[in-house]
């Protein structure tokens, strides 16, 4: 096969010198594979197969679990630390948990690559994460519909909560006001005052795809926020 652009989402040891890996690929979506010998001391592939680093890969196998054959670097890994690193870990965990195996998601791949470029910049992180989350929801036919659950237009003066069954919004408290939801429908999540509502809507829409098991990356972000608040307390 032609080498495929890819990113590593998750890696864990397998047997003595190999690893089980989860990959996001351009044309095949999420791919699960065995990277043979990658844990062996001195393996050149070991240094290449790292999170947030652009790769070119080939693999073989007809079943769900492939075997990697070629691993080439196609650029340096994004240099992430602190909150930027946690956001990257969140994106990797989100895609690993929510994406079915081998569902083509070229747009998700593009937004993930853009996210890695944005994560070192604090002012760009939130918007890039929302674009990735909503691209994922679109790919899985799970994107919110910015209408009332019954199909009518949102009332700018009313307050709404997300309805999982219809993927629309029903009247409820405390909820978000219809004016804000109408603005979110335009996709400009970086406009003043929309970052928090966009995050709330994305989280509500993603919840059915993730199940009840908490995301480890979210817990780490919560702990980081608590430490920062404690450090700034008088």
């Amino acid at each position: 096969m032609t080498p495929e652009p890819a990113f590593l989402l998750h890696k864990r040891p397998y047997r003595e010198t190999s690893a089980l890996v989860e990959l996001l690929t351009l044309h095949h979506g999420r791919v699960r594979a065995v990277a043979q010998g990658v844990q062996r001391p001195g393996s050149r592939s070991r240094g290449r197969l790292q999170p947030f680093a652009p790769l070119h890969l080939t693999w073989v196998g007809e079943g769900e679990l492939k075997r990697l054959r070629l691993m080439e670097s196609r650029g340096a890994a994004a240099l992430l630390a602190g909150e930027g690193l946690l956001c990257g870990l969140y994106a990797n965990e989100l895609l690993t948990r929510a994406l079915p195996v081998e569902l083509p998601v070229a747009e998700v791949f593009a937004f993930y690559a853009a996210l890695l470029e944005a994560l070192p910049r604090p002012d760009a992180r939130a918007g890039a994460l929302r674009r990735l989350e909503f691209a994922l929801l679109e790919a899985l036919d799970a994107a919110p519909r910015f209408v009332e659950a019954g199909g009518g237009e949102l009332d700018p003066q009313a307050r709404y909560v997300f309805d999982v069954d219809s993927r629309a919004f029903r009247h409820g408290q405390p909820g978000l006001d219809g004016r804000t939801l109408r603005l979110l429908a335009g996709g400009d999540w970086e406009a003043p005052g929309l970052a928090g509502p966009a995050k709330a809507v994305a989280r509500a829409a993603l919840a059915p795809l993730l199940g009840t098991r908490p995301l480890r990356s979210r817990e780490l972000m919560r702990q980081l926020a608590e430490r920062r608040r404690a450090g700034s307390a008088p």
Side-chain angles (χ1 to χ4, degrees), residues 31 35 69 71 93 108 111 130 140 157 169 179 192 201 233:
V31 170
R69 295 191 64 184
M71 284 178 275
E93 189 175 11
V108 173
F111 279 114
R130 298 296 86 78
L140 300 180
Q157 306 304 318
F169 294 84
R179 176 182 175 277
V201 171

Side-chain angles (χ1 to χ4, degrees), residues 50-62:
Q50 299 295 328
F52 316 124
L55 303 166
H56 271 137
L57 304 173
T58 63
W59 59 85
V60 295
E62 298 298 325

Side-chain angles (χ1 to χ4, degrees), residues 2-25:
T2 302
E4 175 112 352
F7 291 96
L8 175 70
L9 298 177
H10 186 259
K11 178 175 69 173
R12 62 185 176 90
Y14 177 66
R15 296 180 175 169
E16 291 185 3
T17 61
S18 300
L20 290 174
V21 296
E22 300 273 358
L23 306 160
L24 178 66
T25 70

Side-chain angles (χ1 to χ4, degrees), residues 207-221:
L209 304 177
L210 298 173
T212 58
R213 181 162 54 93
L215 292 177
R216 175 60 177 159
S217 51
R218 279 183 183 165
E219 175 61 20
L220 292 173
M221 283 191 278

Side-chain angles (χ1 to χ4, degrees), residues 93-107:
E93 189 175 11
L94 173 66
L95 295 176
T96 301
R97 288 272 295 273
L99 269 180
V101 173
E102 294 189 70
L103 173 70
V105 285
E107 188 164 313

Side-chain angles (χ1 to χ4, degrees), residues 125-183:
R125 287 172 192 154
L129 274 174
R130 298 296 86 78
R131 284 187 282 273
L132 175 65
E133 289 170 336
F134 277 86
L136 174 62
L137 289 165
E138 288 281 359
L140 300 180
D141 293 324
R145 301 185 305 117
F146 289 93
V147 296
E148 290 194 349
E153 290 188 3
L154 296 169
D155 180 352
Q157 306 304 318
R159 300 196 73 83
Y160 295 92
V161 295
F162 184 70
D163 181 75
V164 172
D165 293 331
S166 64
R167 291 190 288 112
F169 294 84
R170 56 179 173 80
H171 290 269
Q173 296 290 340
L176 297 170
D177 62 88
R179 176 182 175 277
T180 295
L181 291 173
R182 285 186 170 194
L183 291 173

Side-chain angles (χ1 to χ4, degrees), residues 63 100 206:
L206 287 166

